Amino acid sequence: MRTSIATVCLSGTLEEKLHAAAAAGFDGIEIFEQDLVVSPSSPERIRDLAAELGLGLDLYQPFRDAEGVGPELFPAVLRRAAAKFRLMNRLGTDTVLVCSNVATATVDDDAVAARQLRALGDLAGEHGVRLAYEALAWGRYVDDFEHAQRIVELADHPSVGTCLDSFHILSRGWDPAPIERIPAEKIFFVQLADAPLLSMDVLSWSRHHRVFPGEGDFDMVGFMTRLVRSGYDGPVSLEIFNDAFRQADARRTAVDGLRSLRWLEDRTRRALAGQPVRDRLELQALPAVAEPAGYDFVEIRTARLGETTRLLHQLGFALGGHHQSKEHVQVWVQGPVRVVVVDAVREAAPGASPTEIAALGFTVEDPETAADRAARLRARPVERTQGPGEQVLRGVHAPDGTEIFFCRASPDGVPPWLGEFGADDALDPAALVTGVDHVNMAQPWQHYDEAVLFYTSVLALEAQPAQDVPGPSGLVRSQVMRSADGAVRMPLNVAPAAAEQGSFVGAAYPEHVALACSDVVAAARRARRRGLAPLPVPQNYYEDLVARFDLDEAFVASLQELDLLYDRDAGGEFLHFYTGTLGTVFFEVVERRGGYAGFGAPNAPVRLAAQYRRSHEPAARQRPPRGVTTPG
């Protein structure tokens, strides 16, 4: 499939945009008119630069206000068009996007529009140019791709065809099935954009909230299967208007865009498998991978080693050992859970947070295939050294910089790399902690959509519906990525710009590891005996709990004694508590009773408020845990 991207998707100068598209691996590019107008480079220089970079110039866009105008205005339309066609000849591109008229149209007559497009087609033909007519979703008289195609048919000109844009079709709820009936030779160009489902005017929606395929809520695979069945064989291009993209690094955005097309190409090919379809796009498949079977390890990098290991001890972890060749790396173990701790001071990691989640290991069926798929999706590999006889772990960087490793499953549940720490190779069946329930990852707002696509495409996780959680500084957007069986759950959160935890560099919202537990009351009591000061829960919460669930007061009193929180759904109950925050990390210990499926979302505002208070209170005012006395 030939891939292309519009320069409007990327930040920077036109020259920087071309370099970014080429570096990401695109085949071609759409030149947005304004990018050329403001460039000091001549059209000939841009043409030559594209050729040097191996990029085709697939489209020039847009040409506006062309059809549906009165006879007094149409000569001016032809004059503008002639100038643009001469420019395109200098630029070296032969297809121009003609948008349905939104501003100057006064004649609601398809025959008039077709006549005017035919006249433009005659002029375009003289310059070796083709017109791709597109129905804008907010066009004055033409806002439907089927309507636009009828006008193209009426124009009946070899230089006049249609441009299909997924946003203009899917945002209006149009059925893309009629695409299959459009003659392939009359589809001159295709543009793709996904978007979240929002209730707002379609123009604002389009201008600010388009995202790459796989990052929104549209059925992009359904759109593409219709396109393939039509027999179209031209470029498939991204045209995204998005405020975050305009502020992001162009090369990073371009890589995200190409990843979205490769993911969509693969999903479309699989959706069409076994169907008698003539695939003129020549869709390529990615290496097939199964979803991860669970978390293999969590790695924490810290400049506060004593505080971090003390917290792990309080939660019931035991030191498994130090790495045989990396003395600054140790592993802490409890049941099947392994937490690797890296001493950032001895590692001399530049700019490291006092404590942060540095890496996640996922148990996968075939690590080599998973890593190969990630590479095809343009994920940046982790450069890792290992000594003689040590396990080779392949990994890639997630959009937020977290290292993601693909780890092979072992029959006994004990990973081979654990031997490098001299750790016991037997699981403790009596451990209170029984697994990693979920890992909650913070995402910078400008890369949130990129992260959703990354985990969807690289790890085969599925995005669940997003929700907003209120906090002291505003709403926190949360979206859960999970495997079908729930073995891997990963909520992705993006907070308001004013950080909930005070000012700190990096993510605007702390991350946490939630530990599954067989008996959260016992785990909470053990942690308190070892000196843990859990995140305090106010009296008002427990009074509200009685009102919400009609709970026994003695049961609620036991929750309050241990600062435990409670939730319930149709499947069961959820009990949990939180630790304080170290750097940008805290832990949660959870017990699911019955078939509870959520994450205690109603309790998130309590946590956010408590974390906010703790981060803003002097240390002397922070109370110790109930039952724990302070010296003196």
Side-chain angles (χ1 to χ4, degrees):
M1 183 175 82
R2 180 177 176 81
T3 60
S4 188
I5 186 170
T7 57
V8 74
C9 300
L10 305 171
S11 64
T13 66
L14 180 55
E15 292 81 0
E16 291 170 340
K17 296 179 183 197
L18 265 64
H19 278 282
F26 281 94
D27 300 309
I29 201 163
E30 299 178 36
I31 299 291
F32 188 63
E33 181 178 57
Q34 185 176 344
D35 287 326
L36 182 63
V37 169
V38 302
S39 173
S41 298
S42 68
E44 290 80 7
R45 174 56 192 144
I46 295 301
R47 178 195 64 207
D48 293 344
L49 175 60
E52 292 168 13
L53 295 172
L55 288 172
L57 297 180
D58 294 332
L59 186 77
Y60 186 74
Q61 63 119 329
F63 188 77
R64 304 182 189 276
D65 306 329
E67 91 296 1
V69 300
E72 72 285 359
L73 293 182
F74 193 62
V77 172
L78 292 173
R79 179 190 60 77
R80 283 193 297 119
K84 295 303 178 186
F85 299 159
R86 290 192 295 270
L87 173 65
M88 290 172 62
N89 288 162
R90 296 172 61 199
L91 194 58
T93 185
D94 65 359
T95 305
V96 62
L97 178 70
V98 178
C99 301
S100 62
N101 201 326
V102 299
T104 62
T106 56
V107 183
D108 185 9
D109 187 323
D110 287 0
V112 170
R115 260 196 325 271
Q116 292 173 341
L117 285 181
R118 189 181 308 119
L120 283 167
D122 287 339
L123 183 60
E126 295 173 10
H127 293 82
V129 168
R130 304 187 310 163
L131 312 178
Y133 181 53
E134 174 187 53
L136 297 182
W138 52 89
R140 176 167 293 181
Y141 299 128
V142 180
D143 60 3
D144 173 359
F145 76 101
E146 291 184 88
H147 188 181
Q149 178 57 25
R150 289 195 297 271
I151 294 174
V152 167
E153 291 171 355
L154 284 173
D156 191 23
H157 195 288
S159 296
V160 179
T162 192
C163 173
L164 299 174
D165 184 307
S166 64
F167 181 86
H168 293 301
I169 295 171
L170 300 179
S171 65
R172 297 296 300 272
W174 305 128
D175 182 358
I179 291 174
E180 297 183 35
R181 299 194 292 270
I182 300 175
E185 65 275 10
K186 298 304 289 184
I187 303 176
F188 283 3
F189 206 75
V190 171
Q191 295 173 320
L192 298 182
D194 203 343
L197 295 179
L198 301 172
S199 297
M200 63 190 310
D201 70 276
V202 70
L203 178 57
S204 299
W205 190 11
S206 172
R207 287 289 178 259
H208 302 284
H209 299 286
R210 295 195 195 195
V211 290
F212 291 133
E215 297 178 351
D217 298 316
F218 289 165
D219 181 9
M220 300 300 296
V221 174
F223 178 90
M224 282 295 294
T225 57
R226 304 296 190 179
L227 182 66
V228 172
R229 291 192 185 106
S230 75
Y232 175 73
D233 63 354
V236 176
S237 185
L238 298 168
E239 187 195 38
I240 310 296
F241 299 93
N242 184 292
D243 297 336
F245 291 2
R246 294 186 181 104
Q247 301 176 53
D249 176 74
R251 291 191 178 231
R252 178 171 183 158
T253 303
V255 167
D256 186 30
L258 189 72
R259 179 181 298 138
S260 75
L261 287 180
R262 294 304 183 209
W263 169 83
L264 181 60
E265 184 179 20
D266 175 73
R267 292 288 289 263
T268 303
R269 190 176 190 275
R270 296 183 192 283
L272 291 168
Q275 300 182 26
V277 176
R278 186 166 60 116
D279 177 12
R280 298 181 64 189
L281 283 175
E282 298 181 351
L283 301 172
Q284 300 300 306
L286 292 168
V289 296
E291 61 187 16
Y295 288 96
D296 189 75
F297 68 86
V298 175
E299 180 179 304
I300 293 176
R301 182 178 288 111
T302 179
R304 295 154 62 177
L305 183 64
E307 291 183 12
T308 302
T309 56
R310 185 181 306 118
L311 178 58
L312 289 170
H313 167 72
Q314 290 166 345
L315 293 174
F317 285 83
L319 176 63
H322 292 78
H323 193 270
Q324 62 188 22
S325 66
K326 305 177 180 71
E327 294 184 358
H328 62 284
V329 181
Q330 52 187 258
V331 66
W332 289 71
V333 180
Q334 183 172 186
V337 180
R338 279 81 56 175
V339 178
V340 176
V341 179
V342 179
D343 184 350
V345 175
R346 295 182 64 186
E347 185 189 40
S353 167
T355 307
E356 63 183 1
I357 296 176
L360 296 173
F362 292 93
T363 302
V364 299
E365 186 178 90
D366 186 343
E368 288 72 28
T369 299
D372 183 32
R373 177 185 174 94
R376 294 273 296 277
L377 288 164
R378 308 291 290 173
R380 182 165 57 93
V382 173
E383 301 296 334
R384 181 181 179 274
T385 59
Q386 64 264 339
E390 294 178 359
Q391 294 292 314
V392 176
L393 292 181
R394 298 186 64 183
V396 295
H397 291 274
D400 65 353
T402 304
E403 296 176 354
I404 302 298
F405 287 96
F406 309 109
C407 306
R408 191 178 304 279
S410 56
D412 59 0
V414 179
W417 58 261
L418 198 58
E420 298 170 15
F421 292 84
D424 293 337
D425 58 0
L427 300 180
D428 178 8
L432 287 176
V433 167
T434 59
V436 175
D437 187 86
H438 61 275
V439 178
N440 192 311
M441 302 296 290
Q443 302 301 311
W445 68 270
Q446 66 271 35
H447 301 309
Y448 183 82
D449 296 318
E450 179 185 357
V452 171
L453 174 63
F454 174 87
Y455 288 110
T456 298
S457 60
V458 172
L459 280 178
L461 300 178
E462 292 294 331
Q464 309 303 300
Q467 59 180 320
D468 292 330
V469 177
S473 298
L475 291 178
V476 176
R477 182 183 176 195
S478 181
Q479 186 162 28
V480 175
M481 309 298 299
R482 74 189 300 273
S483 57
D485 62 2
V488 171
R489 304 181 183 96
M490 182 184 295
L492 302 179
N493 289 345
V494 59
E500 309 294 4
Q501 308 303 310
S503 59
F504 55 86
V505 178
Y509 185 71
E511 303 174 323
H512 76 269
V513 180
L515 303 169
C517 181
S518 59
D519 186 343
V520 73
V521 172
R525 293 193 186 282
R526 178 181 64 185
R528 284 168 177 275
R529 287 195 304 271
R530 297 183 177 189
L532 177 71
L535 202 66
V537 181
Q539 170 71 25
N540 292 336
Y541 168 79
Y542 294 103
E543 293 179 3
D544 181 67
L545 206 58
V546 173
R548 286 167 54 207
F549 293 112
D550 191 25
L551 297 172
D552 178 77
E553 291 190 6
F555 174 66
V556 174
S558 68
L559 298 177
Q560 185 173 4
E561 176 194 359
L562 299 170
D563 285 300
L564 293 175
L565 297 101
Y566 176 90
D567 191 31
R568 185 169 71 200
D569 64 13
E573 298 174 298
F574 188 67
L575 285 76
H576 57 135
F577 70 89
Y578 301 103
T579 72
T581 303
L582 294 178
T584 59
V585 180
F586 64 95
F587 285 85
E588 177 185 11
V589 180
V590 312
E591 180 185 349
R592 295 176 183 269
R593 297 178 177 178
Y596 181 88
F599 296 86
N603 297 328
V606 179
R607 169 177 62 81
L608 290 168
Q611 289 173 323
Y612 182 89
R613 286 193 303 273
R614 177 168 282 190
S615 69
H616 286 72
E617 287 180 357
R621 294 174 55 191
Q622 296 180 14
R623 68 174 174 86
R626 298 180 183 89
V628 176
T629 58
T630 55

